[in-house]
Amino acid sequence: MNVFIETYGCQMNVNDSEVVLAILQRAGYARCEKLEDADLILVNTCSVRDNAEQRVLGRLDVFRQEKKRRREVVVGVLGCMAQRLKEKLLEHPAVDLVAGPDAYRDLPRLVEAVRVSGKQLDTILSHEETYADIAPVRMDRSGVTAFISIMRGCNNVCSYCIVPFVRGAERSRDPRTIVREAKALIADGYKEINLLGQNVDSYRWVNPDDPEDCLDFAGLLEQVACIDPRVRVRFATSHPKDMGDKVLYTMARHENICRHIHLPVQSGSDVMLEKMRRKYTRTHYLERIARIREILPDCAVTTDVIAGFCGETDADHAATLSLFREVRYDGAFMFQYSERPGTLASRHYPDDVPAAVKTARLNEIIALQNEASLESNQKCVGRCFEVLIEGPSKRSETELMGRTSQNKTCVFPAEGHRAGEYVTVRVLSCTSATLRCEIV
Ligand code: SAH
Ligand code: SF4
Ligand code: F3S
C-alpha cells in the first residue's frame, strides 16, 4: 500500500507527518510522491488562519477528482482542521477519515475500518500522548537538519489563537527519549537539530517515578548541545513572558546553540497585548530584547506580529511600528488578524478593523521590516561566517545554500563542497533575504 502525505502549517505539523509515516510504515505502507500512486491520501492541516483552511479545502476538491477516477482510494484529513471541524469535515464528499493530532497511533486501524465500513472519525485529545517512542520517518531530502518535537499542545490562552483548542493541553516529552532521538539523527549524519514546541520556555519534565528528578528547557537544551559540539542546535518558539536569562546563559556557554531567537511580539501596544492575553507588556518585552543583546551580542532576533486585531486603533498600530523601529528585527512573520471560531477573541471582541485597514497596516509593517532585514544583512557584508551547507541553491545547480548560526541564508559557488559540510564564507553582497558569499 502506498501513502501520499501533504502537510500545511507549522514545523510541528511537519514533524507530526513524519510520525504518521513511521506509524504507517510499521503497518506496511510505503510513502509515494505522486497522488496517482497513492492508495491512501493524507492531508495534515492547519487552522491558525482562515486562509490556511481555505487552501486545504481547495486541495480536497482535487482529491475528490482523484477519487472519482479510482474509487478505492482512501482520503484522510489529519491535524488541526480535523480537530476543529470534526464531523463537518467528514461530510465533505472527498473525505473518508478525520483524525486529530492525538489519534495517529490508531491510523492503520482507522484506514482498515474505512475499507470495511465507511467513514471514520477520531478526534479525542489526550493528556499523555507525546509519540515519544516513535522514530519519525524524515521527509527532508538533504539529511542535514531535523526537527524534534519536545512537547505538544499549549496551555496559554492567547485570545486570538486556535492552537490550544486543536492541539490540547501542554505535555512535555521525556528528555531521555529526546536525547536518544537526537543521537540517532546524528548517527544518521544529521548536523542540525531543531527543538520544537509552541512555547519551549514552559517545557518542564518531572520523572513520574521520582518527583525530585525534573528538567526545564535550559537543562534540556544543554543536554542536547552536549551530545556533539559539531552539531548545531536550534529551537522555537520562545515566549516573551517565560524566556528567562537561564536559557540565554546556556546559549552563551555553547557555541553550537545557534545565535537566533524567535520571540513573537504580536503587538507593540499594551492595550492590544492585554486584550490578546499575552501576559507581558511592551516594557517587559523590550527588557527581554535588551538581555538577549547583552548576554548574546551576536544573536539574531525574529518575531511574529498581528495587524488589525480587535479594536486596534491608529495609535496601537503606531506603537507596533515604533517597537519595530526600536528593536530592528532580523526577520519577521507578519499576519493580518483572522478571527477563529470559538476563541476568546471571537466570543468577546468584535473583529472590527476593516479589511482594507488591516491590509494597509500590514503593508506598513512589511515595508518597515524589509528595510530592517536589508539593514541587518548589509551589516554582514565583508564579514566571514561559518555556514552549514543544506543543499543546492534554489536558482542554480552550481551554487549551494547554507545558513549562518544567526539563521541567515547564504548562497555561494559550490566549489566541490556538499550538503552537511561546514564552510567559512565571506559575504560579498546582499538583498533583504539572502547573503551572496564566497568560500574562503
Ligand atoms: N506558539 C507561538 C505561535 C504559534 S502560531 C507563539 O506563541 O508565539 C504562529 C503565529 O501565528 C503567531 O505567533 C501569531 O502571530 C499568528 N497567529 C495566531 N493566531 C492568529 C490569528 N487568529 N490571526 C492572525 N495571526 C495569528
Ligand atoms: Fe497560540 Fe499563544 Fe499558545 Fe502561541 S502561546 S500557540 S499564540 S495560545
Ligand atoms: Fe497550524 Fe496547528 Fe501548527 S493550527 S500553526 S498546524 S499547531
Side-chain angles (χ1 to χ4, degrees):
M1 288 283 181
N2 285 329
V3 55
F4 172 90
I5 189 162
E6 207 167 82
T7 310
Y8 295 84
C10 60
Q11 289 174 335
M12 273 164 277
N13 233 23
V14 176
N15 195 217
D16 274 10
S17 289
E18 298 179 328
V19 167
V20 165
L21 283 177
I23 290 166
L24 288 170
Q25 226 170 52
R26 277 190 204 169
Y29 283 84
R31 184 185 174 204
C32 66
E33 307 267 343
K34 287 199 204 113
L35 207 58
E36 310 86 81
D37 299 334
D39 304 290
L40 171 62
I41 298 172
L42 295 176
V43 55
N44 193 1
T45 61
C46 173
S47 281
V48 81
R49 283 169 292 276
D50 184 60
N51 55 15
E53 292 200 347
Q54 294 309 323
R55 272 166 66 207
V56 169
L57 293 175
R59 288 301 286 164
L60 289 184
D61 293 333
V62 174
F63 300 157
R64 190 178 177 197
Q65 296 309 314
E66 189 64 26
K67 270 185 82 101
K68 276 187 187 156
R69 276 191 289 278
R70 300 188 293 129
R71 284 188 49 210
E72 68 286 2
V73 179
V74 174
V75 173
V77 182
L78 314 179
C80 299
M81 253 176 105
Q83 191 63 40
R84 189 177 89 73
L85 293 166
K86 301 186 174 74
E87 295 81 1
K88 272 189 225 147
L89 260 180
L90 214 53
E91 284 164 17
H92 191 290
V95 179
D96 300 304
L97 166 65
V98 170
D102 289 341
Y104 299 154
R105 279 182 203 271
D106 212 18
L107 274 176
R109 191 194 63 78
L110 287 167
V111 177
E112 271 319 296
V114 168
R115 296 211 165 97
V116 176
S117 51
K119 296 194 181 220
Q120 299 289 324
L121 172 87
D122 186 347
T123 52
I124 296 168
L125 284 175
S126 155
H127 281 273
E128 288 90 32
E129 181 63 90
T130 59
Y131 301 113
D133 57 314
I134 294 169
V137 173
R138 303 292 161 183
M139 289 194 298
D140 65 295
R141 279 160 213 280
S142 70
V144 177
T145 79
F147 300 103
I148 301 182
S149 296
I150 62 167
M151 57 211 291
R152 297 184 72 81
C154 182
N155 278 358
N156 297 296
V157 277
C158 302
S159 62
Y160 51 81
C161 185
I162 194 78
V163 171
F165 297 86
V166 291
R167 304 298 271 205
E170 187 182 280
R171 287 143 274 170
S172 296
R173 183 175 157 186
D174 184 334
R176 292 166 296 192
T177 70
I178 297 171
V179 169
R180 196 194 308 142
E181 190 174 331
K183 284 183 174 162
L185 285 165
I186 295 166
D188 279 346
Y190 282 87
K191 295 282 164 29
E192 190 174 86
I193 307 284
N194 282 271
L195 304 178
L196 302 177
Q198 292 295 356
N199 173 357
V200 292
D201 301 294
S202 64
Y203 175 88
R204 187 175 164 77
W205 187 76
V206 182
N207 188 340
D209 304 321
D210 174 12
E212 299 280 290
D213 177 17
C214 52
L215 194 71
D216 63 5
F217 179 61
L220 177 71
L221 189 58
E222 182 129 60
Q223 283 191 15
V224 177
C226 286
I227 298 174
D228 183 342
R230 291 302 287 162
V231 171
R232 284 179 169 183
V233 185
R234 297 186 185 276
F235 59 88
T237 299
S238 301
H239 199 302
K241 79 178 164 67
D242 297 317
M243 191 200 66
D245 291 352
K246 196 175 168 196
V247 167
L248 304 179
Y249 286 121
T250 304
M251 291 173 75
R253 277 198 303 278
H254 298 276
E255 226 184 305
N256 60 326
I257 305 178
C258 288
R259 293 330 194 216
H260 172 218
I261 295 178
H262 186 60
L263 196 65
V265 69
Q266 314 300 2
S267 171
S269 152
D270 278 341
V271 181
M272 289 296 108
L273 289 172
E274 166 78 39
K275 239 176 160 174
M276 288 174 163
R277 304 278 203 281
R278 286 291 285 180
K279 302 203 169 78
Y280 54 83
T281 60
R282 176 188 174 106
T283 307
H284 173 83
Y285 184 88
L286 289 173
E287 185 269 335
R288 292 288 81 211
I289 296 284
R291 288 299 278 161
I292 294 171
R293 300 220 159 124
E294 196 181 315
I295 298 168
L296 301 160
D298 59 346
C299 188
V301 181
T302 56
T303 201
D304 293 346
V305 68
I306 299 175
F309 185 58
C310 310
E312 188 186 67
T313 62
D314 285 335
D316 294 319
H317 172 59
T320 296
L321 292 175
S322 85
L323 181 120
F324 267 62
R325 275 191 209 98
E326 200 168 328
V327 176
R328 301 220 67 94
Y329 291 107
D330 298 280
F333 295 109
M334 299 159 279
F335 311 104
Q336 294 187 35
Y337 173 59
S338 165
E339 187 176 81
R340 309 312 294 131
T343 56
L344 220 74
S346 78
R347 284 181 283 130
H348 295 296
Y349 313 124
D351 179 12
D352 54 1
V353 176
V357 176
K358 282 184 189 172
T359 307
R361 287 180 183 167
L362 178 65
N363 286 339
E364 258 188 278
I365 300 172
I366 292 173
L368 183 58
Q369 182 51 43
N370 284 345
E371 268 175 48
S373 299
L374 180 63
E375 187 190 272
S376 154
N377 283 352
Q378 278 166 344
K379 282 188 192 151
C380 299
V381 176
R383 289 178 60 194
C384 292
F385 294 92
E386 184 176 63
V387 164
L388 174 61
I389 303 174
E390 288 180 21
S393 82
K394 266 187 226 145
R395 294 238 181 98
S396 154
E397 278 291 311
T398 62
E399 284 188 330
L400 293 170
M401 187 287 267
R403 262 180 259 241
T404 68
S405 173
Q406 289 77 10
N407 209 31
K408 288 186 185 287
T409 303
C410 298
V411 173
F412 43 88
E415 291 174 22
H417 291 279
R418 289 214 313 253
E421 290 176 26
Y422 288 99
V423 287
T424 302
V425 300
R426 181 182 295 113
V427 182
L428 301 172
S429 65
C430 71
T431 64
S432 61
T434 314
L435 304 177
R436 192 148 275 292
C437 311
E438 63 178 2
I439 296 175
V440 296

PDB file of all heavy atoms in Angstrom, residues 48-49 160-161 163 198-199 237-239 264 266 278 304-306 335-340, ligand 1:
ATOM      1  N   VAL A  48      -4.701  27.862  11.810  1.00  0.00           N
ATOM      2  CA  VAL A  48      -4.301  29.070  12.537  1.00  0.00           C
ATOM      3  C   VAL A  48      -4.925  30.344  11.955  1.00  0.00           C
ATOM      4  O   VAL A  48      -5.266  31.250  12.704  1.00  0.00           O
ATOM      5  CB  VAL A  48      -2.755  29.140  12.664  1.00  0.00           C
ATOM      6  CG1 VAL A  48      -2.087  29.680  11.420  1.00  0.00           C
ATOM      7  CG2 VAL A  48      -2.361  29.955  13.886  1.00  0.00           C
ATOM      8  N   ARG A  49      -5.072  30.367  10.636  1.00  0.00           N
ATOM      9  CA  ARG A  49      -5.771  31.494   9.984  1.00  0.00           C
ATOM     10  C   ARG A  49      -6.730  30.926   8.945  1.00  0.00           C
ATOM     11  O   ARG A  49      -6.516  29.824   8.436  1.00  0.00           O
ATOM     12  CB  ARG A  49      -4.757  32.438   9.306  1.00  0.00           C
ATOM     13  CG  ARG A  49      -4.029  33.350  10.281  1.00  0.00           C
ATOM     14  CD  ARG A  49      -2.867  34.048   9.627  1.00  0.00           C
ATOM     15  NE  ARG A  49      -1.818  33.101   9.279  1.00  0.00           N
ATOM     16  CZ  ARG A  49      -0.881  32.673  10.120  1.00  0.00           C
ATOM     17  NH1 ARG A  49      -0.822  33.124  11.353  1.00  0.00           N
ATOM     18  NH2 ARG A  49       0.002  31.782   9.727  1.00  0.00           N
ATOM     19  N   TYR A 160      -6.625  35.294  20.548  1.00  0.00           N
ATOM     20  CA  TYR A 160      -6.856  35.177  19.101  1.00  0.00           C
ATOM     21  C   TYR A 160      -6.604  33.769  18.583  1.00  0.00           C
ATOM     22  O   TYR A 160      -6.873  33.461  17.426  1.00  0.00           O
ATOM     23  CB  TYR A 160      -5.915  36.141  18.348  1.00  0.00           C
ATOM     24  CG  TYR A 160      -4.469  35.987  18.788  1.00  0.00           C
ATOM     25  CD1 TYR A 160      -3.678  34.975  18.276  1.00  0.00           C
ATOM     26  CD2 TYR A 160      -3.922  36.819  19.755  1.00  0.00           C
ATOM     27  CE1 TYR A 160      -2.384  34.783  18.713  1.00  0.00           C
ATOM     28  CE2 TYR A 160      -2.626  36.650  20.199  1.00  0.00           C
ATOM     29  CZ  TYR A 160      -1.865  35.628  19.677  1.00  0.00           C
ATOM     30  OH  TYR A 160      -0.597  35.427  20.124  1.00  0.00           O
ATOM     31  N   CYS A 161      -6.048  32.893  19.431  1.00  0.00           N
ATOM     32  CA  CYS A 161      -5.359  31.700  18.904  1.00  0.00           C
ATOM     33  C   CYS A 161      -6.165  30.412  19.037  1.00  0.00           C
ATOM     34  O   CYS A 161      -6.707  30.092  20.098  1.00  0.00           O
ATOM     35  CB  CYS A 161      -4.020  31.542  19.620  1.00  0.00           C
ATOM     36  SG  CYS A 161      -3.024  30.211  18.951  1.00  0.00           S
ATOM     37  N   VAL A 163      -4.779  27.394  18.499  1.00  0.00           N
ATOM     38  CA  VAL A 163      -3.883  26.259  18.774  1.00  0.00           C
ATOM     39  C   VAL A 163      -4.251  25.472  20.040  1.00  0.00           C
ATOM     40  O   VAL A 163      -4.348  24.243  19.991  1.00  0.00           O
ATOM     41  CB  VAL A 163      -2.399  26.715  18.797  1.00  0.00           C
ATOM     42  CG1 VAL A 163      -1.483  25.600  19.300  1.00  0.00           C
ATOM     43  CG2 VAL A 163      -1.962  27.160  17.403  1.00  0.00           C
ATOM     44  N   GLN A 198       5.291  24.899  21.084  1.00  0.00           N
ATOM     45  CA  GLN A 198       4.567  26.175  20.955  1.00  0.00           C
ATOM     46  C   GLN A 198       5.143  27.214  21.897  1.00  0.00           C
ATOM     47  O   GLN A 198       5.095  28.409  21.624  1.00  0.00           O
ATOM     48  CB  GLN A 198       3.066  26.003  21.223  1.00  0.00           C
ATOM     49  CG  GLN A 198       2.322  25.189  20.184  1.00  0.00           C
ATOM     50  CD  GLN A 198       2.295  25.854  18.824  1.00  0.00           C
ATOM     51  OE1 GLN A 198       2.767  26.964  18.640  1.00  0.00           O
ATOM     52  NE2 GLN A 198       1.760  25.147  17.837  1.00  0.00           N
ATOM     53  N   ASN A 199       5.672  26.759  23.024  1.00  0.00           N
ATOM     54  CA  ASN A 199       6.303  27.662  23.981  1.00  0.00           C
ATOM     55  C   ASN A 199       7.386  26.843  24.687  1.00  0.00           C
ATOM     56  O   ASN A 199       7.146  26.249  25.732  1.00  0.00           O
ATOM     57  CB  ASN A 199       5.241  28.182  24.969  1.00  0.00           C
ATOM     58  CG  ASN A 199       5.847  28.997  26.094  1.00  0.00           C
ATOM     59  OD1 ASN A 199       7.062  29.150  26.203  1.00  0.00           O
ATOM     60  ND2 ASN A 199       4.995  29.518  26.944  1.00  0.00           N
ATOM     61  N   THR A 237       9.240  27.725  19.693  1.00  0.00           N
ATOM     62  CA  THR A 237       9.214  29.167  19.757  1.00  0.00           C
ATOM     63  C   THR A 237       9.439  29.614  21.190  1.00  0.00           C
ATOM     64  O   THR A 237       8.944  28.953  22.121  1.00  0.00           O
ATOM     65  CB  THR A 237       7.826  29.668  19.271  1.00  0.00           C
ATOM     66  OG1 THR A 237       7.629  29.253  17.921  1.00  0.00           O
ATOM     67  CG2 THR A 237       7.710  31.162  19.327  1.00  0.00           C
ATOM     68  N   SER A 238      10.108  30.732  21.373  1.00  0.00           N
ATOM     69  CA  SER A 238      10.275  31.280  22.721  1.00  0.00           C
ATOM     70  C   SER A 238       9.092  32.194  23.026  1.00  0.00           C
ATOM     71  O   SER A 238       8.564  32.849  22.132  1.00  0.00           O
ATOM     72  CB  SER A 238      11.579  32.077  22.799  1.00  0.00           C
ATOM     73  OG  SER A 238      12.670  31.248  22.471  1.00  0.00           O
ATOM     74  N   HIS A 239       8.712  32.242  24.297  1.00  0.00           N
ATOM     75  CA  HIS A 239       7.605  33.124  24.692  1.00  0.00           C
ATOM     76  C   HIS A 239       8.143  34.242  25.586  1.00  0.00           C
ATOM     77  O   HIS A 239       8.778  33.971  26.599  1.00  0.00           O
ATOM     78  CB  HIS A 239       6.526  32.334  25.427  1.00  0.00           C
ATOM     79  CG  HIS A 239       5.204  33.033  25.458  1.00  0.00           C
ATOM     80  ND1 HIS A 239       5.055  34.296  25.996  1.00  0.00           N
ATOM     81  CD2 HIS A 239       3.986  32.675  25.002  1.00  0.00           C
ATOM     82  CE1 HIS A 239       3.792  34.676  25.870  1.00  0.00           C
ATOM     83  NE2 HIS A 239       3.118  33.711  25.267  1.00  0.00           N
ATOM     84  N   PRO A 264       8.092  35.973  19.334  1.00  0.00           N
ATOM     85  CA  PRO A 264       6.912  36.661  18.794  1.00  0.00           C
ATOM     86  C   PRO A 264       6.395  37.753  19.723  1.00  0.00           C
ATOM     87  O   PRO A 264       6.171  37.505  20.903  1.00  0.00           O
ATOM     88  CB  PRO A 264       5.886  35.540  18.650  1.00  0.00           C
ATOM     89  CG  PRO A 264       6.707  34.307  18.489  1.00  0.00           C
ATOM     90  CD  PRO A 264       7.884  34.519  19.407  1.00  0.00           C
ATOM     91  N   GLN A 266       3.699  40.011  18.672  1.00  0.00           N
ATOM     92  CA  GLN A 266       2.258  40.124  18.307  1.00  0.00           C
ATOM     93  C   GLN A 266       1.770  41.562  18.188  1.00  0.00           C
ATOM     94  O   GLN A 266       1.030  41.881  17.273  1.00  0.00           O
ATOM     95  CB  GLN A 266       1.343  39.324  19.256  1.00  0.00           C
ATOM     96  CG  GLN A 266       1.802  37.903  19.584  1.00  0.00           C
ATOM     97  CD  GLN A 266       1.935  36.969  18.394  1.00  0.00           C
ATOM     98  OE1 GLN A 266       1.731  37.352  17.262  1.00  0.00           O
ATOM     99  NE2 GLN A 266       2.331  35.731  18.649  1.00  0.00           N
ATOM    100  N   ARG A 278      -1.547  38.119  26.246  1.00  0.00           N
ATOM    101  CA  ARG A 278      -0.172  37.646  26.077  1.00  0.00           C
ATOM    102  C   ARG A 278       0.596  37.617  27.394  1.00  0.00           C
ATOM    103  O   ARG A 278       1.678  37.055  27.496  1.00  0.00           O
ATOM    104  CB  ARG A 278       0.562  38.526  25.055  1.00  0.00           C
ATOM    105  CG  ARG A 278       0.120  38.269  23.622  1.00  0.00           C
ATOM    106  CD  ARG A 278       0.569  36.920  23.133  1.00  0.00           C
ATOM    107  NE  ARG A 278       1.994  36.856  22.817  1.00  0.00           N
ATOM    108  CZ  ARG A 278       2.595  35.759  22.362  1.00  0.00           C
ATOM    109  NH1 ARG A 278       1.908  34.640  22.208  1.00  0.00           N
ATOM    110  NH2 ARG A 278       3.868  35.771  22.091  1.00  0.00           N
ATOM    111  N   ASP A 304       6.936  37.368  15.350  1.00  0.00           N
ATOM    112  CA  ASP A 304       5.637  37.282  14.668  1.00  0.00           C
ATOM    113  C   ASP A 304       4.835  38.498  15.109  1.00  0.00           C
ATOM    114  O   ASP A 304       4.943  38.920  16.266  1.00  0.00           O
ATOM    115  CB  ASP A 304       4.825  36.063  15.127  1.00  0.00           C
ATOM    116  CG  ASP A 304       5.423  34.730  14.722  1.00  0.00           C
ATOM    117  OD1 ASP A 304       6.327  34.703  13.873  1.00  0.00           O
ATOM    118  OD2 ASP A 304       4.962  33.710  15.286  1.00  0.00           O
ATOM    119  N   VAL A 305       3.992  39.014  14.221  1.00  0.00           N
ATOM    120  CA  VAL A 305       3.168  40.158  14.579  1.00  0.00           C
ATOM    121  C   VAL A 305       1.808  40.037  13.896  1.00  0.00           C
ATOM    122  O   VAL A 305       1.700  39.468  12.805  1.00  0.00           O
ATOM    123  CB  VAL A 305       3.887  41.487  14.227  1.00  0.00           C
ATOM    124  CG1 VAL A 305       4.011  41.669  12.723  1.00  0.00           C
ATOM    125  CG2 VAL A 305       3.185  42.696  14.844  1.00  0.00           C
ATOM    126  N   ILE A 306       0.799  40.543  14.554  1.00  0.00           N
ATOM    127  CA  ILE A 306      -0.566  40.521  14.003  1.00  0.00           C
ATOM    128  C   ILE A 306      -1.037  41.961  13.802  1.00  0.00           C
ATOM    129  O   ILE A 306      -1.023  42.750  14.751  1.00  0.00           O
ATOM    130  CB  ILE A 306      -1.536  39.782  14.951  1.00  0.00           C
ATOM    131  CG1 ILE A 306      -1.098  38.323  15.141  1.00  0.00           C
ATOM    132  CG2 ILE A 306      -2.971  39.854  14.404  1.00  0.00           C
ATOM    133  CD1 ILE A 306      -1.926  37.554  16.163  1.00  0.00           C
ATOM    134  N   PHE A 335       1.242  38.988   9.934  1.00  0.00           N
ATOM    135  CA  PHE A 335      -0.085  38.489   9.564  1.00  0.00           C
ATOM    136  C   PHE A 335      -1.158  39.530   9.820  1.00  0.00           C
ATOM    137  O   PHE A 335      -1.030  40.352  10.710  1.00  0.00           O
ATOM    138  CB  PHE A 335      -0.428  37.247  10.400  1.00  0.00           C
ATOM    139  CG  PHE A 335       0.643  36.213  10.447  1.00  0.00           C
ATOM    140  CD1 PHE A 335       1.441  36.066  11.578  1.00  0.00           C
ATOM    141  CD2 PHE A 335       0.873  35.387   9.361  1.00  0.00           C
ATOM    142  CE1 PHE A 335       2.440  35.101  11.627  1.00  0.00           C
ATOM    143  CE2 PHE A 335       1.866  34.421   9.400  1.00  0.00           C
ATOM    144  CZ  PHE A 335       2.659  34.278  10.539  1.00  0.00           C
ATOM    145  N   GLN A 336      -2.260  39.414   9.058  1.00  0.00           N
ATOM    146  CA  GLN A 336      -3.473  40.158   9.400  1.00  0.00           C
ATOM    147  C   GLN A 336      -4.282  39.296  10.356  1.00  0.00           C
ATOM    148  O   GLN A 336      -4.332  38.071  10.190  1.00  0.00           O
ATOM    149  CB  GLN A 336      -4.343  40.373   8.151  1.00  0.00           C
ATOM    150  CG  GLN A 336      -3.719  41.250   7.123  1.00  0.00           C
ATOM    151  CD  GLN A 336      -4.713  41.550   5.997  1.00  0.00           C
ATOM    152  OE1 GLN A 336      -5.902  41.682   6.217  1.00  0.00           O
ATOM    153  NE2 GLN A 336      -4.198  41.661   4.789  1.00  0.00           N
ATOM    154  N   TYR A 337      -4.934  39.937  11.279  1.00  0.00           N
ATOM    155  CA  TYR A 337      -5.772  39.186  12.208  1.00  0.00           C
ATOM    156  C   TYR A 337      -6.875  38.453  11.452  1.00  0.00           C
ATOM    157  O   TYR A 337      -7.549  39.018  10.590  1.00  0.00           O
ATOM    158  CB  TYR A 337      -6.396  40.117  13.255  1.00  0.00           C
ATOM    159  CG  TYR A 337      -7.396  39.412  14.133  1.00  0.00           C
ATOM    160  CD1 TYR A 337      -7.006  38.316  14.896  1.00  0.00           C
ATOM    161  CD2 TYR A 337      -8.732  39.807  14.182  1.00  0.00           C
ATOM    162  CE1 TYR A 337      -7.920  37.639  15.693  1.00  0.00           C
ATOM    163  CE2 TYR A 337      -9.654  39.142  14.983  1.00  0.00           C
ATOM    164  CZ  TYR A 337      -9.236  38.055  15.729  1.00  0.00           C
ATOM    165  OH  TYR A 337     -10.137  37.376  16.503  1.00  0.00           O
ATOM    166  N   SER A 338      -7.035  37.176  11.798  1.00  0.00           N
ATOM    167  CA  SER A 338      -8.074  36.339  11.204  1.00  0.00           C
ATOM    168  C   SER A 338      -8.868  35.740  12.360  1.00  0.00           C
ATOM    169  O   SER A 338      -8.316  35.003  13.182  1.00  0.00           O
ATOM    170  CB  SER A 338      -7.388  35.253  10.366  1.00  0.00           C
ATOM    171  OG  SER A 338      -8.275  34.219  10.040  1.00  0.00           O
ATOM    172  N   GLU A 339     -10.133  36.076  12.440  1.00  0.00           N
ATOM    173  CA  GLU A 339     -10.933  35.592  13.576  1.00  0.00           C
ATOM    174  C   GLU A 339     -11.118  34.086  13.502  1.00  0.00           C
ATOM    175  O   GLU A 339     -11.486  33.555  12.452  1.00  0.00           O
ATOM    176  CB  GLU A 339     -12.304  36.279  13.573  1.00  0.00           C
ATOM    177  CG  GLU A 339     -13.102  35.934  14.817  1.00  0.00           C
ATOM    178  CD  GLU A 339     -14.428  36.691  14.853  1.00  0.00           C
ATOM    179  OE1 GLU A 339     -15.373  36.249  14.186  1.00  0.00           O
ATOM    180  OE2 GLU A 339     -14.491  37.715  15.542  1.00  0.00           O
ATOM    181  N   ARG A 340     -10.849  33.409  14.609  1.00  0.00           N
ATOM    182  CA  ARG A 340     -11.008  31.958  14.654  1.00  0.00           C
ATOM    183  C   ARG A 340     -12.174  31.598  15.549  1.00  0.00           C
ATOM    184  O   ARG A 340     -12.205  31.997  16.729  1.00  0.00           O
ATOM    185  CB  ARG A 340      -9.715  31.271  15.174  1.00  0.00           C
ATOM    186  CG  ARG A 340      -8.444  31.685  14.485  1.00  0.00           C
ATOM    187  CD  ARG A 340      -8.502  31.681  12.953  1.00  0.00           C
ATOM    188  NE  ARG A 340      -8.674  30.368  12.370  1.00  0.00           N
ATOM    189  CZ  ARG A 340      -9.590  30.080  11.437  1.00  0.00           C
ATOM    190  NH1 ARG A 340     -10.416  31.010  11.000  1.00  0.00           N
ATOM    191  NH2 ARG A 340      -9.662  28.876  10.946  1.00  0.00           N
TER     192      ARG A 340
HETATM  193  N1  SAH B   1       3.233  29.491  19.865  1.00  0.00           N
HETATM  194  C1  SAH B   1       3.703  30.578  19.098  1.00  0.00           C
HETATM  195  C2  SAH B   1       2.893  30.886  17.869  1.00  0.00           C
HETATM  196  C3  SAH B   1       2.107  29.840  17.153  1.00  0.00           C
HETATM  197  S1  SAH B   1       1.039  30.393  15.859  1.00  0.00           S
HETATM  198  C4  SAH B   1       3.717  31.824  19.978  1.00  0.00           C
HETATM  199  O1  SAH B   1       3.053  31.891  20.975  1.00  0.00           O
HETATM  200  O2  SAH B   1       4.364  32.771  19.617  1.00  0.00           O
HETATM  201  C5  SAH B   1       2.139  31.344  14.841  1.00  0.00           C
HETATM  202  C6  SAH B   1       1.745  32.758  14.694  1.00  0.00           C
HETATM  203  O3  SAH B   1       0.527  32.888  14.017  1.00  0.00           O
HETATM  204  C7  SAH B   1       1.523  33.523  15.978  1.00  0.00           C
HETATM  205  O4  SAH B   1       2.706  33.941  16.574  1.00  0.00           O
HETATM  206  C8  SAH B   1       0.673  34.673  15.529  1.00  0.00           C
HETATM  207  O5  SAH B   1       1.458  35.772  15.121  1.00  0.00           O
HETATM  208  C9  SAH B   1      -0.070  34.115  14.329  1.00  0.00           C
HETATM  209  N2  SAH B   1      -1.481  33.908  14.622  1.00  0.00           N
HETATM  210  C10 SAH B   1      -2.022  33.075  15.537  1.00  0.00           C
HETATM  211  N3  SAH B   1      -3.365  33.191  15.526  1.00  0.00           N
HETATM  212  C11 SAH B   1      -3.682  34.124  14.604  1.00  0.00           C
HETATM  213  C12 SAH B   1      -4.909  34.701  14.132  1.00  0.00           C
HETATM  214  N4  SAH B   1      -6.072  34.350  14.644  1.00  0.00           N
HETATM  215  N5  SAH B   1      -4.834  35.629  13.152  1.00  0.00           N
HETATM  216  C13 SAH B   1      -3.651  36.016  12.636  1.00  0.00           C
HETATM  217  N6  SAH B   1      -2.481  35.510  13.033  1.00  0.00           N
HETATM  218  C14 SAH B   1      -2.486  34.569  14.011  1.00  0.00           C
END
